[in-house]
Amino acid sequence: MYHSSEMFTTLITLEEFSKENPGKGLEPLKEAPAAITYLAKSEISRLLNTLTGDDRRVALLCLSIGPR
């Protein structure tokens, strides 16, 4: 609902919504930080052996730059 509140705030600012923001005062939910995991060398080999063409190129790029 918190993200909906942001949407309503934007709509009100743009004068596309004229009522009170139904999510006003809501605080974001507290989330635990995501765990970071890495592929093992055997998993990387299996992945690359499965992919072809552009899919393989994208996987190689991602593995080389470490996407976040």
Side-chain angles (χ1 to χ4, degrees), residues 2-20:
Y2 176 74
H3 292 292
S4 296
S5 177
E6 292 175 353
M7 177 189 68
F8 280 107
T9 298
T10 301
L11 289 172
I12 291 167
T13 301
L14 296 172
E15 298 180 349
E16 295 292 330
F17 187 76
S18 60
K19 297 181 182 179
E20 184 177 339

Side-chain angles (χ1 to χ4, degrees), residues 16-41:
E16 295 292 330
F17 187 76
S18 60
K19 297 181 182 179
E20 184 177 339
N21 185 338
K24 185 177 182 181
L26 288 178
E27 300 211 9
L29 296 174
K30 293 179 180 160
E31 298 179 34
I36 296 175
T37 59
Y38 301 93
L39 294 176
K41 288 184 180 183

Side-chain angles (χ1 to χ4, degrees), residues 42-53 55-56 59:
S42 62
E43 293 171 316
I44 293 171
S45 294
R46 199 168 61 218
L47 173 66
L48 294 176
N49 289 333
T50 303
L51 300 174
T52 60
D55 293 337
R56 190 170 194 281

